[in-house]
Every structure is written in structure tokens, then in C-alpha cells.
Amino acid sequence: MVSKPPVGDPVQDAPQVTPPQHAAAGLPAIGHTLRIAQEQMGLRRTARTLLKVNQKDGFDCPGCAWPEGDKRHVAEFCENGAKAVAEEATLRRVTPEFFAAHPLADLADRSGYWLGQQGRITQPMLLPEGGDRYEPVTWERAFAIVAEELRALGSPDEALFYTSGRTSNEAAFLLQLFAREFGTNNLPDCSNMCHESSGSALTETIGIGKGSVSLEDLHRADLIIVAGQNPGTNHPRMLSALEKAKAGGAKIISVNPLPEAGLERFKNPQTPQGMLKGAALNDLFLQIRIGGDQALFRLLNKLVLETAGAVDEEFVREHTHGYEEFVAAAGEADWDETLAATGLDRSEIERALEMVLASERTVVCWAMGLTQHKHSVPTIREVVNFLLLRGNIGRPGAGVCPVRGHSNVQGDRTMGIFERPAPAFLDALDKEFGIVSPRRHGFDVVRSIQALRDGEAKVFFAMGGNFVGATPDTEVTEAAMRRARLTVHVSTKLNRSHAVTGTRALILPTLGRTDKDVQAGGKQFVTVEDSMSLVHASRGNLPPASPHLLSEPAIVARMARAVLGDGSATPWEEFEADYATIRDRIARVVPGFEDFNARLAADPGGFRLPHGPRDERRFPTKTGKANFTAAPVEYPRVPKGRLLLQTLRSHDQYNTTIYGLDDRYRGIKGGRRVVLVHPEDAAALGFADGAYADLVSEWTDGSERRAPGFRVVHYPTSRGCAAAYYPETNVLVPLESTADVSNTPASKSVIVRLEESASA
Ligand code: SF4
């Protein structure tokens, strides 16, 4: 029976703690999937929806960006994918009556979990200047308000157009086109907060900011290193690929400050054997110290260089640049200091070396554990050094694999959602549309918050996402957002960002992936690009959650017409009526999309975008070669009596969307304000298991930030390291604490002290 949304806010946060688990998925995953699907959609809709997700004639999962194989299973989804689908296809509704009953102040007091559980927003809503609650507004009036505010700006650069990774290629292409025709490159996106460090490091070293492996490569690899990633929760179907690779003889090394159940054993629900016994994954678990990954790969590289015949000399000679400088830098690395930075023993590194030397096809996979540190870009460069040394780029079964966390975050960037666009892209765009795009770079996420804080930006527009929930320095960010003249959110469901508004605010409810999309030109589909550069279609099959919704492309097209008026020669109406016309333009502007519509029609499974390093060992870098780099080894230095905290997701969470209050694999139930600390560290700091502590972060400028009332959980973390969930701990991350080069918030290495908590 479909359950009603929670009335009271269940986030009383009294977490129950049991020992962590050592296996992922299995029967419990099926149980949780069916329970949540049933609660949100009921039985018939559950079947109708889950049997279409990730199918060639179905819709793309709005969860992470893990690819599908050519052969699809009947159930081509994981537990967390099903949760994402269930919450979007929920039968719960947020109506104008809901907003009448819940003033802004009430919404601001609610937890993210409670807001998200209320259901799909059914009508456009306006928070008028001086008003205390949202009121219904017509779409025409809403676009008129947007036009009014944008036209009143002193410069187009006072506007910000944020994109979350759920935005389709078609909507993303239109949004960047609109922003540039309007006159700004202020196109921050969620990639700025997640894989920007990967993009920066890979573009410099191999010439393209994307992973170079396909699913088939992962299956063919004989060594897979999974670093700074927890696939069991964040990319669950990756476990099937790891299981398949293991069955093919591959070895797996996981590098993580936390032991994660999903890397220990995978109980694959697709097979009875898998469901009951499962497959061990890890061959070696390196419980690294937070931020110690660059040091680890530097030591492995040092040992490879010292091992006769271990370097692929021919590959290095023919395809790389900067080898000598790198060899010199590796030679200078002090063993003891570098080893200490890893928190590992020499024997563990030597064990890993044996596996590296025995491998002919190595893939390194990573996620936020590598990208959200001050030194993330040098760390990922060192991973590339590691793969170049033995020619593991552009060889089947080998390569780089940054695993994207949002279903179309890579596609949005490919479509031009980037504050630092390549001149060639703008040239092609201007030629195609007869516009003059601005060439000065725009604001990324952190720079956007600073601009709002400092009054440089006055209008904030978000295509999906939960900006204030996802960003660092919560108090600073929320205060900055409240300085805006207008905040606009294109959303499917409620979240914190709807409660933290500018002087005026608009909520523009849109179709979800599961919704059928019919325009003047008939039934429409959109496209997405997964983590391995495969572009494919997504077709919703459910009646829209409300007759008042507009699709993402329609919202952008109508906003553009309202703002740009008759002065724009861009065929916005045509684009709204038939998305194939958008794809025809994409085909002429974005390399790799030639004959876009025809190729989609020819193969429902989609097509893979070209990738020079993968396809032909062609490296479009400044040197025309793959670049070795020789950066000094960096790692966080933590004062005595302090801990290094990483912010992370629970298993009942997807980005800032909270599906539930449990973190099953880590043994946490019914609460989220927990901090995982090594028992010996906790004892040394005077905190028993179950005690309550305030987390206080200390920043280089002497400023401090406090997150009160966390239950201390004695947990097998690496020594000196702690972990707690975001968004609850985003308040601890200073806005200025970012990665060099990529400016990504350094949310994975926050120096904190624990203080006895008054509020247990
Ligand atoms: S692995 Fe990712 S994309 Fe696939 S079903 Fe799960 S959440 Fe969705």
C-alpha cells in the first residue's frame, strides 16, 4: 500500500549502531528495493517502472552514471537506482495546498529527508517579495518575472545558471546557448564539486577530461585498482563488472580509509549462487590515510622505476613527454616521509607492487576520495604517471576510469555547460547560431557563492539539483543565496534550496526521467552520456506527475523567448516542439555527434563518443603526447589532538537526496548525525562509543566552524581519520578550502577537533 509522506519530521537522530557488514547487495537489497518502491509507487506502478529503467526502449536511471552492457537483464538496476526511480515516480504530490499550509519558515526548519519525502511538485510556485510562503503562479508570469530580473541586471555576469547532472543533453545544450546569447559564461555545475579535479588533471596529461575505458575493458582487465570510491553504495552495478572481471582472473586492490562492504563481497541478486554465497572482490585492501593517495602512487611508481624491465620503454618513448623530469622527481621522494603519508606499511606497498608487475592490463577507478582534496589534481596526475609507465592507456583492458556520480554530469559538460569553455566550442556555436558568445571565463560553483555573497551576482537559476545542500560552508552559502534578487529552481521534488531563497523565488516543476514527454512534434526522448562516453536515449513511460509540468527543454526555450524577445534568431519554439531539431544543431556544434539522430535511430543502445587516447593512443595535449608530471608529493598535515574528517554518503543517500535514515552496510540505523572514529583515536581523545561530540573545523585563517551533536561511533577507520555524512557536515568545509587548479571544495579532508557536546 502506498504510504503517506511523513507529517512529523522523523529525523530525531537517535542512531542505533551494530558492527559493519562485510557483503553488499543480496536478499536484503531486494527487500529494501521492493519496500521503498511499494511505499512510493505501489505494486503495479513499481512493476511498470522498474522493468523499464535502463532498458534500450526505456528511461535512463536518474541515479549515477554507471553504463549498461549491450545485453540488458530484465532487472537492469540496483537498490539505489530503484530508490532514485521510486522517489521520482512517487504517487505523493506537493500541491499549492501543501505550500499554503507550510510557510517558508516551516520549510526551512525541516530536514532534507522530510522535504524530499513529500513527493512531486505539481505547479509553478512564486515566493513574492515580502511574502512568507509560496503561491501558485502561471508559467507566463513566472517567465515574465525571470525576464524582468535578468533584464534589470547591470551586466549578464550578474546572473548564474547552475546545472545539476540530471539535466539531459538537449536541455543542457539549450541552457548554455541561452546563457551565451544572453551574454555570460556563468555556467557552474555539479561537476565543479565532484570530478573537476579529474577533468583538469586528465585534460593536461592525456588531452581529454574523460575516462578512457569501456565496460568491456573493465571485464578484460587483469588488475583493477579502486581508489577513493565506495561503489557498493554510489555505483552499485559496478560490483557486477568487478565480479565479472574477477571471474576472468582479474585481481582487485581497493584503496580507502574505510573498509567498505561492497569491496569485500558482492552478493549478486541476478544469480542464486550470487545471492546466497556471493563473490569476494578485494584481493588487497590498502587502508590508506585520508589524502595519502598521491604518496601511494608515487611510491608504487618509484618501485616500478627501480624494477628492471617493468617500464614499457617503447610506449614511453613513442607516446609520452616529460619522463626524465618525472623519474628525477620520483627519485627524490623520501621513502619514510612518503610512506608515513600513506599510513600503510612497506610490506603492503610491496604486495601491491607484485600485483602491478604481474598485470598486463591495469585499470584505475576513482571517485570523490581522490577529487575533493587540496592536492587532488597532482594526485590524479600521479595515477596517470602510474598507468603511463607500463603503457596502460589506449590498450584494451587498461586505462583511467573516473566514475561519475550523476547520470548525465559528463553529458552536460560535453554539451558546453562549463564556465571555462574552449574557444573552438564557442567558435562553432557562434557560427551555427550567428551569436557572439562572451569569451571571458565565468564563475564555477565556489566563485558563484562568493559572487552572491559579495553582491556581484543577483539572479540564481538552477536546472535541478540542491545547490545550498550540496555546497560547502553552509552558513556562508545560505546567507549568500539570501542576498539574491531572484532564485529560480527547476525541480521535481522539494529540497533545502527551496527554503533558502532570494528576495523573490520561483519553483518551476519539471518532467522527470520516468515521465512521458509529449510536445507539439509528438512524443519526445532525451539523451544522456554515461561515465564511459556512451550516448543513449531515455524515454519516460509514465503519465506526467501533473498536467502543469513543463519539460526541461521547454522551460529553457520559453525562458529564452521571454528574456531575449524577438531580438533572438534562435528557433526556441522549434526546439521546444521537437528535440530532434536540437540534436541536429548539436551534431553541427559538438565534435563526435555527427548524424546524431540517425545514429540513435540505427542503434537503440546508443553510440560511444571518440576518445583519442583510448581509440588510437592520440593525445591532444599541448605537447601532442601523454604528459608525465613531476609534482612534489603533498598530503594533509594534521595537528596533534585533531582528526582528518571526510564527508561522505550513507547507503540511503544519493548526493543530497536522503532516501532513509539507515546506513546498512556500516551498521548505522535510524539516524545521520554520527561520526566514525577509530576506537584508539576516540579513546585518546576521551570519547567513548555512543558519546556525543560537536565537530569543530579549524581553518588556516583561524576561523572555526561547528557542527553540533554527533554520536561518536567507534569504527575501523584508518588511524587519525574520521568520517561523517554530508550535507550535515558541509558547514565544516570553508568556502576557500578548495583543490588547487580545479577549485573543487576539499570536502574529503577537513581538520576537526571533537568537543564534548552539550546537545546530545
Ligand atoms: S548503478 Fe547507478 S545508474 Fe545503475 S541502476 Fe544503480 S544508481 Fe542507477
Side-chain angles (χ1 to χ4, degrees):
M1 217 290 295
V2 175
S3 64
K4 291 242 166 305
V7 176
D9 204 330
V11 180
Q12 301 317 322
D13 247 318
Q16 308 310 308
V17 178
T18 52
Q21 300 187 1
H22 299 287
L27 275 173
I30 297 176
H32 284 275
T33 296
L34 293 176
R35 179 176 59 73
I36 289 188
Q38 161 80 2
E39 280 173 7
Q40 298 277 357
M41 301 187 283
L43 263 185
R44 225 163 53 78
R45 192 175 174 88
T46 293
R48 192 170 165 203
T49 311
L50 291 185
L51 294 176
K52 276 292 181 190
V53 59
N54 291 333
Q55 298 299 335
K56 289 185 179 176
D57 64 347
F59 61 88
D60 182 65
C61 168
C64 81
W66 190 256
E68 287 77 50
D70 193 46
K71 183 175 151 309
R72 306 291 158 96
H73 300 93
V74 174
E76 191 61 54
F77 56 87
C78 72
E79 174 191 341
N80 280 358
K83 289 172 187 168
V85 169
E87 292 227 344
E88 188 194 282
T90 179
L91 290 168
R92 299 172 184 175
R93 297 288 177 264
V94 174
T95 61
E97 292 69 30
F98 170 91
F99 287 104
H102 294 279
L104 196 70
D106 174 25
L107 298 178
D109 271 349
R110 299 289 181 162
S111 68
Y113 173 66
W114 185 87
L115 291 167
Q117 290 302 308
Q118 301 307 310
R120 293 284 300 275
I121 303 163
T122 61
Q123 277 185 242
M125 302 299 293
L126 165 67
L127 178 78
E129 184 157 0
D132 74 343
R133 63 197 70 211
Y134 283 97
E135 305 162 356
V137 65
T138 63
W139 281 105
E140 293 65 35
R141 177 77 190 117
F143 292 127
I145 289 170
V146 174
E148 197 184 295
E149 292 284 359
L150 287 177
R151 288 187 181 157
L153 294 174
S155 150
D157 284 336
E158 293 177 3
L160 306 168
F161 299 99
Y162 173 75
T163 303
S164 95
R166 201 208 52 196
T167 306
S168 68
N169 285 339
E170 289 75 10
F173 186 76
L174 292 192
L175 184 64
Q176 62 83 28
L177 172 60
F178 164 69
R180 280 153 185 151
E181 192 167 345
F182 178 67
T184 185
N185 283 315
N186 284 349
L187 289 156
D189 68 342
C190 61
S191 195
N192 294 152
M193 292 183 279
C194 66
H195 270 290
E196 197 67 64
S197 300
S198 307
S200 300
L202 293 177
T203 302
E204 180 198 344
T205 53
I206 64 170
I208 179 172
K210 299 180 179 185
S212 72
V213 301
S214 65
L215 210 44
E216 294 68 36
D217 286 319
L218 215 56
H219 297 157
R220 292 184 62 177
D222 59 15
L223 176 63
I224 301 170
I225 300 177
V226 182
Q229 187 197 357
N230 175 20
T233 287
N234 304 331
H235 316 93
R237 280 182 305 131
M238 177 174 167
L239 302 186
S240 309
L242 295 178
E243 179 194 37
K244 187 166 181 178
K246 287 270 311 197
K251 297 288 183 206
I252 295 177
I253 298 176
S254 70
V255 182
N256 203 310
L258 292 177
E260 299 288 12
L263 287 163
E264 292 182 52
R265 179 170 290 277
F266 170 46
K267 293 189 169 184
N268 188 341
Q270 300 278 5
T271 66
Q273 149 87 3
M275 185 118 67
L276 302 171
K277 185 161 171 300
L281 295 181
N282 267 340
D283 293 282
L284 177 63
F285 168 41
L286 296 176
Q287 187 161 22
I288 197 126
R289 191 170 162 280
I290 290 177
D293 303 85
Q294 184 195 9
L296 167 65
F297 282 97
R298 176 58 57 89
L299 291 178
L300 285 173
N301 291 341
K302 201 174 165 65
L303 291 169
V304 168
L305 288 166
E306 291 164 2
T307 306
V311 174
D312 183 335
E313 307 285 355
E314 187 194 344
F315 174 84
V316 168
R317 198 175 40 255
E318 283 182 28
H319 296 290
T320 72
H321 175 272
Y323 180 65
E324 286 70 32
E325 295 80 1
F326 162 64
V327 170
E332 281 151 22
D334 172 82
W335 244 106
D336 297 340
E337 184 192 352
T338 314
L339 185 62
T342 68
L344 301 168
D345 300 337
R346 181 164 185 145
S347 62
E348 294 175 286
I349 309 233
E350 285 165 350
R351 175 84 187 85
L353 177 70
E354 284 164 24
M355 297 164 78
V356 169
L357 297 178
S359 162
E360 290 170 7
R361 299 177 302 283
T362 300
V363 172
V364 179
C365 304
W366 71 83
M368 303 310 101
L370 261 58
T371 67
Q372 295 179 332
H373 298 274
K374 182 176 179 322
H375 59 298
S376 284
V377 173
T379 297
I380 295 160
R381 290 179 188 142
E382 198 65 27
V383 169
V384 174
N385 286 342
F386 169 77
L387 291 165
L388 294 179
L389 270 180
R390 293 174 57 75
N392 281 307
I393 299 251
R395 174 195 294 160
V400 288
C401 185
V403 184
R404 305 286 175 158
H406 218 318
S407 53
N408 198 37
V409 62
Q410 188 161 307
D412 295 338
R413 188 52 64 90
T414 304
M415 288 300 116
I417 298 288
F418 192 25
E419 76 282 354
R420 292 175 281 127
F425 176 87
L426 296 179
D427 294 345
L429 193 71
D430 292 358
K431 182 161 167 281
E432 179 64 24
F433 290 97
I435 64 172
V436 181
S437 295
R439 300 297 164 143
R440 65 196 168 283
H441 287 172
F443 296 154
D444 63 12
V445 163
V446 167
R447 195 63 196 83
S448 295
I449 298 168
Q450 291 161 340
L452 286 164
R453 177 195 63 194
D454 305 338
E456 277 178 77
K458 300 183 174 63
V459 173
F460 176 85
F461 176 95
M463 183 61 86
N466 176 10
F467 190 86
V468 294
T471 44
D473 224 343
T474 311
E475 289 172 14
V476 170
T477 299
E478 296 198 352
M481 194 59 80
R482 292 192 170 102
R483 291 202 64 194
R485 289 252 345 115
L486 176 68
T487 50
V488 184
H489 290 275
V490 177
S491 304
T492 54
K493 295 181 317 142
L494 281 178
N495 62 47
R496 176 84 184 148
S497 295
H498 301 116
V500 179
T501 72
T503 306
R504 287 199 285 182
L506 285 165
I507 302 178
L508 305 180
T510 190
L511 297 177
R513 288 271 174 81
T514 53
D515 295 332
K516 219 177 271 172
D517 184 348
V518 180
Q519 302 296 332
K523 197 169 175 223
Q524 302 295 316
F525 65 85
V526 293
T527 59
V528 294
E529 176 189 339
D530 66 32
S531 208
M532 293 180 178
S533 305
L534 198 84
V535 176
H536 58 99
S538 177
R539 298 175 172 79
N541 66 321
L542 295 177
S546 147
H548 307 295
L549 306 184
L550 287 180
S551 71
E552 293 174 332
I555 289 172
V556 178
R558 294 191 189 188
M559 171 174 69
R561 282 160 47 210
V563 175
L564 302 171
D566 302 339
S568 172
T570 304
W572 299 105
E573 279 178 73
E574 192 187 292
F575 289 156
E576 176 180 341
D578 184 356
Y579 305 167
T581 63
I582 305 171
R583 288 188 285 273
D584 286 339
R585 301 304 192 112
I586 292 172
R588 290 205 287 271
V589 171
V590 185
F593 283 82
E594 299 72 17
D595 307 322
F596 193 176
N597 284 309
R599 291 159 74 189
L600 288 170
D603 182 347
F607 59 89
R608 196 178 302 286
L609 291 172
H611 190 291
R614 176 197 64 214
D615 304 337
E616 50 196 325
R617 288 185 159 177
R618 181 177 52 75
F619 299 97
T621 62
K622 290 204 179 82
T623 64
K625 301 267 187 180
N627 292 321
F628 279 103
T629 50
V633 173
E634 297 174 59
Y635 54 92
R637 270 89 171 164
V638 183
K640 203 163 165 13
R642 304 300 189 257
L643 295 172
L644 194 55
L645 177 100
Q646 62 164 315
T647 67
L648 45 57
R649 293 183 195 173
S650 76
H651 188 63
D652 270 358
Q653 176 180 355
Y654 172 73
N655 282 347
T656 59
T657 301
I658 312 299
Y659 300 129
L661 304 178
D662 304 342
D663 190 2
R664 191 170 75 246
Y665 297 153
R666 299 194 181 110
I668 312 287
K669 194 169 177 43
R672 293 182 48 81
R673 293 186 88 79
V674 295
V675 59
L676 311 181
V677 183
H678 190 283
E680 291 170 44
D681 292 333
L685 295 168
F687 287 88
D689 185 64
Y692 276 76
D694 288 2
L695 310 182
V696 183
S697 72
E698 302 170 343
W699 183 228
T700 53
D701 65 357
S703 62
E704 298 192 343
R705 291 160 178 78
R706 181 177 297 269
F710 283 73
R711 185 206 189 283
V712 174
V713 176
H714 287 189
Y715 200 86
T717 70
S718 49
R719 291 304 304 272
C721 301
Y725 307 133
Y726 71 84
E728 289 84 351
T729 47
N730 282 347
V731 65
L732 297 170
V733 183
L735 191 56
E736 285 68 26
S737 172
T738 62
D740 299 335
V741 182
S742 66
N743 210 27
T744 294
S747 309
K748 291 287 185 203
S749 42
V750 187
I751 294 174
V752 297
R753 70 173 184 269
L754 270 55
E755 281 187 5
E756 206 166 315
S757 186
S759 56

